[in-house]
Amino acid sequence: MTVLEADCAVVGAGPAGLAAARAAVAAGARSVLVFDRDDAPGGLPRFCRHPGFGWEYSRRLETGPSFARRLLGDLDPARVALHCGATVMSLQPGPCLEVLSPALGLATVRCRGVVLATGIRERPRAARLVPGRRPERGILTTGQLQQMVARGVTVPGSRLAVVGSEHVAFSVLLTARHSGHRVVAMIEAEERPMSYAAVAALARALAGVPTHLAARVVDIAGGGCVEAVEIEQAGRRRTIACDAVVFAGDFVPDVPLARAASLAIGRATQGPEVDQLGRTSLAGVFAAGNVLRAVESSGFAAIEGARVGAAAAAYAAGRIGWRDGATPIALAPQFAYLVPQLWAFDDGGVAALPASLRAGQDLAAARIGLRHDGSLLWQGRKRRLLRHRRLRVDLGELARRGPGAIAVEAGSWRAISEG
Amino acid sequence: MTGERYDVAIIGAGVVGCAIAREFSRYRLRAILIEALSDLGGGASKGNSAILSTGSDTPIGSLECRLVTRGHERYRAEAPGLGLPILSVGSLTVAWNEAEAAALARMHAEIASAGFRSAELVDREAVYRRVPALAPGAVAAVWEPEEAIVDPFSTPYAYALDAVVNGVAFRASSPVTAALHDGEAWHLATPQGPVAAGLVVNCGGLWGDRVDALAGFADFTIRPRRGEFLVFDKSARQLLDVVLKPVPTPQYRGVLAAPTVFGNVLVGPTAEDVDDPDDWRVTGAGLDRLRRAARAMLPALLEHEVTATYCGLRPASERPEYRIVARPDRRWITVGGIRSTGLSGALGIAEHVAGLAFDGMLPAERKAETIPVRVPSLLEGGARPWMDAARLAADPAYGEIVCHCEGVSLGEIRDALASPLPPRSLKALRRRTRAMFGRCQGFFCGARVLAELERHARRAGRAAQ
């Protein structure tokens, strides 16, 4: 059996994984192995041939494939070995990976630090419990549609109905323009589109797509291929003829590897619980990017990757230890989640992850506060907060404090629906 | 009408038709298996609870009970040789109140006296020992250690492959549209050309009454009974390692929860009589009902993602029994009304039907040898080609995982496409390999699996020219 050794190993060559590899080298890692189970690197952005990627990371707004190329181009080939078509079959304490690929066969990988950057997937139709028939062709997710287009696989028919209106749903519009398909309906369960209004308006102007808000799919018709969807809106039903239904958004972290390794998984995030350096519950195993929670932008995921890659290199070099005395960050009930979930006061001077904080409901007139042993370290105010948007909280001040209780609190909150 | 002349034509490649074809392949006979759909196992056989029943839950003393018992016995003896997994997880039929406990005690006494001696009445503590995650309130249960879970897709495939490798012809996409007897043989019309056969065995399942009608027989009517199912993610499997059943009523066996050999947990079926044998819808009401049933049995299940929903149609008839009718004078055997026990009963039914056929309708000349057949095991955690260092070294395609949720390699997909019984549709490929059957339902792998299928279809098209 092949045995590979390296300072660091990265699982997943999407934005977070590629940025982690680069940062690990910059922070002193002599050798980094990157594994991706797909046949080419780049993660999900490589299938999104339209602008909107990488802004937070590179201060450029690029297409998905272009952002992926930039991240790849940043890698030092002398220090980073990229293995595609390589599936990590197991993660064991050590850390030790078992990797399978046509080139390597079954290989054992020993390293000091592992970065899990396995990303996200969309929840498919079944998980959303959408009733109706199950035609063989035409029940898709955005990810599958975009890969089909990119790989030249036949997408049946010409009319797409899109369920969901997160950013990614608008990515379907742009993919459809590219592939010669027409989006005949956007169907959203909420009362307003979940993407930013500007993106939504732009998309409507571009494509003139009828949007059905506060609507749900109650039936799908078709035998071999999809023929129509039936939606219910305010108690009224209507049928929309289409050749495919694309279930967009509703992302979840892809964590089977983390689960199999018994990493602590956050109930609210469905991703590995980490401290501010991306350290999980298993020594030597870090996590970064959207596997931590669904979902932030590709640029944000890359920044997380860079921070965690540097931390992994510091751990590999023995400059930091493993989460000694990590303190859970207490969260006010108005919040859905905060990543990182823990703060370790032994950071060794390594930079922390940017905070990823979400509200559990729409809120108005909000004040967010960070307290350490009761004293207010930071606070921010916002007039209106929507639950699908990231909230700003600056945890940086904690780095200058000693061990103590940490809380992120909410003040003067009221739900928009009540206001 | 003319066409190639066979000794026996089996109409319908569901699990029962495939098992009967395999049975006949052991004899010196020219046999053909005819299927209306593009692939085998695409009707009633594709949507069941994947349980190998002992027969104890069928009416005691009935033909169904006898054949399911025999089918179970044969499956245990023959399935391992075909590469089919059997997990003897056992079942618990749970009573939730005193009235059910009384019914349970009566049920236990009845099945014990009918010969199902391993069935055991157990108390509350024993129930929670076996299923710690069970909802509170269970009173007692019947424990049946011999109930097992099996692979419902590979089973008919293994039977059909065994039959084909041993000389039975297989013709798909061939719905029989007319059946005429000219005094010597039956002439069956299909879109792929006529078939002539001395004996016809109608295993038409959901369409069995319609096939019978073509020949002028009208003994029974199929009343399709739709059953919807929920399949929970593999993360839920830790909650359940036995089959959980409610106490049945004479009309309805109720919603059960069962682990699957693929590592999931399924909950179902509902039971709804429908008119259309092609009504494969899952419904909002059905899914709600299953979620309620799941919560009532195993509340923690609902914390896990649903991987799939599906529905099955049971080919029930107007009477709760098998409708197996031999007409020696007309050289026609009808195997109808196989309700919900086809998977468990198939090998028993096949043996029974062969017995009817050899009782004057066909010569029983057994072959000296048969060619052994094995199908790839799709058991979760079971042996896969990549685990075998020699196979992996010889064929790196086994190291290229395409479907990540189910761990299916490019090599296994290629092998399935190269089978003597190749999958002719995406759903068939999924049933053969489990590619795209996992939690992502094709988000990661769908495009690549479709690309492989399209490449194969192009190659097959070129070869045909």
Side-chain angles (χ1 to χ4, degrees):
Chain A
M1 190 194 271
T2 315
V3 176
L4 303 176
E5 296 193 359
D7 282 349
C8 297
V10 178
V11 185
L18 293 175
R22 180 201 191 193
V25 169
R30 291 155 302 177
S31 55
V32 179
L33 297 167
V34 181
F35 301 102
D36 197 287
R37 60 195 193 177
D38 210 342
D39 53 1
L44 296 184
R46 83 183 173 101
F47 298 112
C48 303
R49 294 177 181 171
H50 57 78
F53 293 83
W55 174 253
E56 294 96 325
Y57 183 72
S58 58
R59 290 296 155 196
R60 291 162 194 263
L61 208 48
E62 302 182 85
T63 67
S66 153
F67 182 47
R69 276 195 302 274
R70 168 181 308 281
L71 292 164
L72 269 175
D74 285 345
L75 300 182
D76 174 0
R79 301 280 183 89
V80 180
L82 178 63
H83 296 268
C84 287
T87 304
V88 176
M89 308 302 283
S90 73
L91 163 63
Q92 287 136 23
C96 175
L97 302 172
E98 190 184 34
V99 178
L100 178 67
S101 90
L104 298 170
L106 191 59
T108 299
V109 177
R110 296 204 185 92
C111 54
R112 287 277 294 152
V114 168
V115 179
L116 291 182
T118 52
I120 40 168
R121 61 179 175 84
E122 288 165 300
R123 292 173 77 233
R125 180 254 182 107
R128 305 182 195 206
L129 299 177
V130 173
R133 288 209 173 222
R134 300 179 308 116
E136 169 162 307
R137 301 285 177 115
I139 304 286
L140 303 171
T141 47
T142 310
Q144 185 179 347
L145 172 75
Q146 289 177 333
Q147 270 206 54
M148 287 170 75
V149 172
R151 292 178 187 277
V153 176
T154 314
V155 179
S158 61
R159 300 160 301 172
L160 309 178
V162 179
V163 181
S165 68
E166 292 175 53
H167 281 13
V168 65
F170 298 97
S171 181
V172 176
L173 288 177
L174 298 163
T175 301
R177 279 164 70 86
H178 181 82
S179 65
H181 289 79
R182 192 158 50 89
V183 176
V184 293
M186 302 207 50
I187 301 153
E188 169 56 55
E190 305 279 329
E191 287 177 3
R192 58 162 206 271
M194 282 162 70
S195 195
Y196 295 113
V199 179
L202 179 70
R204 274 195 302 276
L206 271 175
V209 176
T211 304
H212 307 274
L213 297 174
R216 63 194 181 97
V217 178
V218 292
D219 201 4
I220 294 176
C225 292
V226 169
E227 289 162 14
V229 290
E230 190 178 17
I231 63 170
E232 190 181 274
Q233 206 175 11
R236 288 176 54 189
R237 292 191 173 206
R238 62 192 289 181
T239 300
I240 301 165
C242 59
D243 306 301
V245 193
V246 183
F247 289 89
D250 200 355
F251 287 98
V252 285
D254 196 52
V255 289
L257 185 63
R259 269 194 205 283
S262 299
L263 263 54
I265 303 288
R267 220 184 160 80
T269 56
Q270 297 291 303
E273 285 184 345
V274 291
D275 72 359
Q276 83 278 16
L277 303 186
R279 292 176 289 194
T280 69
S281 60
L282 183 60
V285 179
F286 296 77
N290 278 329
V291 71
L292 295 175
R293 100 271 81 189
V295 54
E296 298 287 1
S297 70
S298 60
F300 190 89
I303 290 174
E304 288 179 323
R307 299 278 168 86
V308 172
Y315 178 74
R319 295 200 301 274
I320 57 172
W322 202 258
R323 244 171 68 164
D324 290 330
T327 306
I329 302 175
L331 214 52
Q334 292 91 335
F335 297 112
Y337 63 75
L338 169 67
V339 175
Q341 288 90 345
L342 305 156
W343 189 276
F345 291 93
D346 65 333
D347 66 4
V350 178
L353 286 171
S356 175
L357 177 69
R358 296 283 163 126
Q361 64 208 95
D362 295 343
L363 299 157
R367 185 183 64 79
I368 301 171
L370 171 68
R371 280 185 193 275
H372 174 264
D373 273 347
S375 63
L376 191 64
L377 296 191
W378 179 90
Q379 69 172 332
R381 287 178 193 283
K382 198 135 172 129
R383 213 154 49 83
R384 184 166 184 264
L385 298 172
L386 304 177
R387 71 182 179 283
H388 308 296
R389 308 290 152 74
R390 188 169 69 241
L391 308 181
R392 187 171 134 69
V393 58
D394 189 348
L395 303 176
E397 191 63 27
L398 288 170
R400 284 181 280 280
R401 305 281 158 153
I406 311 168
V408 175
E409 61 179 21
S412 311
W413 294 74
R414 65 194 157 85
I416 284 175
S417 54
E418 295 163 12
Chain B
M1 284 190 290
T2 56
E4 203 173 337
R5 167 73 194 256
Y6 293 91
D7 297 314
V8 56
I10 300 125
I11 300 174
V15 69
V16 172
C18 292
I20 291 172
R22 174 174 178 265
E23 199 73 24
F24 283 135
S25 75
R26 272 41 182 172
Y27 296 84
R28 294 190 185 286
L29 291 169
R30 284 161 299 162
I32 185 169
L33 177 60
I34 307 171
E35 169 55 44
L37 305 175
S38 67
D39 189 51
L40 57 95
S45 301
K46 77 178 175 189
N48 53 55
S49 49
I51 291 168
L52 185 71
S53 156
T54 57
S56 67
D57 55 353
T58 55
I60 301 298
S62 66
L63 178 65
E64 179 181 26
C65 182
R66 183 159 66 82
L67 298 187
V68 170
T69 304
R70 176 63 182 144
H72 182 109
E73 180 180 72
R74 280 191 72 189
Y75 199 94
R76 286 192 175 274
E78 296 170 39
L82 291 164
L84 296 169
I86 306 172
L87 292 184
S88 295
V89 293
S91 73
L92 280 172
T93 303
V94 181
W96 295 94
N97 55 48
E98 290 308 324
E100 283 186 1
L104 189 75
R106 285 195 300 277
M107 176 191 118
H108 175 251
E110 192 185 348
I111 64 178
S113 68
F116 297 99
R117 302 207 186 281
S118 62
E120 189 189 340
L121 206 51
V122 295
D123 65 10
R124 184 181 174 283
E125 285 68 32
V127 174
Y128 286 97
R129 250 196 323 278
R130 293 208 184 270
V131 191
L134 190 71
V139 177
V142 166
W143 167 242
E144 293 181 81
E146 288 172 43
E147 298 247 292
I149 55 176
V150 297
D151 178 345
F153 307 118
S154 296
T155 296
Y157 172 59
Y159 296 164
L161 187 67
D162 191 349
V164 166
V165 166
N166 285 291
V168 174
F170 178 67
R171 195 185 285 185
S173 303
S174 300
V176 174
T177 53
L180 286 172
H181 200 273
D182 67 0
E184 292 206 350
W186 282 102
H187 296 270
L188 307 174
T190 83
Q192 316 285 331
V195 172
L199 170 68
V200 169
V201 181
N202 170 15
C203 304
L206 292 163
W207 298 272
D209 54 347
R210 301 182 189 196
V211 173
D212 255 20
L214 296 174
F217 308 126
D219 294 328
F220 69 100
T221 310
I222 291 294
R223 300 266 174 83
R225 207 157 204 228
R226 183 167 61 199
E228 299 177 38
F229 292 86
L230 281 178
V231 182
F232 288 87
D233 188 18
K234 292 177 181 183
S235 59
R237 179 69 165 82
Q238 54 175 344
L239 296 174
L240 188 64
D241 202 32
V242 303
V243 177
L244 277 183
K245 302 176 177 181
V247 178
T249 67
Q251 292 76 35
Y252 178 37
R253 283 192 243 168
V255 175
L256 56 79
T260 76
V261 294
F262 312 119
N264 304 90
V265 171
L266 65 76
V267 173
T270 55
E272 183 188 356
D273 291 319
V274 294
D275 297 325
D276 179 4
D278 204 28
D279 187 354
W280 300 96
R281 279 175 305 156
V282 290
T283 62
L287 297 178
D288 282 349
R289 166 131 209 271
L290 293 175
R291 279 172 59 82
R292 281 199 304 276
R295 187 180 294 119
M297 281 185 284
L298 275 181
L301 255 189
L302 297 187
E303 293 166 20
H304 297 263
E305 281 273 58
V306 168
T307 290
T309 62
Y310 66 94
C311 104
L313 290 169
R314 317 173 184 77
S317 68
E318 64 277 65
R319 288 214 301 272
E321 59 193 12
Y322 282 3
R323 313 299 284 272
I324 300 180
V325 184
R327 299 178 183 83
D329 52 328
R330 303 297 308 277
R331 295 287 193 267
W332 185 282
I333 301 175
T334 301
V335 183
I338 307 300
R339 311 207 286 161
S340 56
T341 46
L343 179 63
S344 304
L347 294 175
I349 296 166
E351 192 175 76
H352 176 70
V353 168
L356 296 174
F358 295 136
D359 187 16
M361 288 188 267
L362 283 177
E365 210 184 314
R366 212 172 162 93
K367 290 178 187 170
E369 284 183 18
T370 54
I371 302 164
V373 163
R374 273 187 88 84
V375 296
S377 170
L378 303 178
L379 176 69
E380 172 78 358
R384 286 303 183 91
W386 64 264
M387 296 175 181
D388 180 336
R391 279 185 87 182
L392 179 59
D395 192 344
Y398 291 129
E400 188 167 356
I401 302 292
V402 172
C403 166
H404 303 288
C405 302
E406 298 294 309
V408 186
S409 68
L410 188 64
E412 290 161 276
I413 290 172
R414 181 207 54 203
D415 291 353
L417 291 168
S419 157
L421 271 178
R424 290 183 174 84
S425 66
L426 180 62
K427 285 203 171 173
L429 179 63
R430 293 169 62 158
R431 289 199 286 267
R432 299 280 209 286
T433 64
R434 292 204 58 74
M436 290 176 72
F437 249 139
R439 60 177 75 81
C440 92
Q441 295 279 303
F443 174 85
F444 291 117
C445 69
R448 288 195 72 189
V449 172
L450 281 164
E452 284 306 310
L453 197 63
E454 287 187 0
R455 188 171 307 139
H456 178 78
R458 279 197 302 274
R459 265 202 303 271
R462 277 199 301 276
Q465 287 165 15

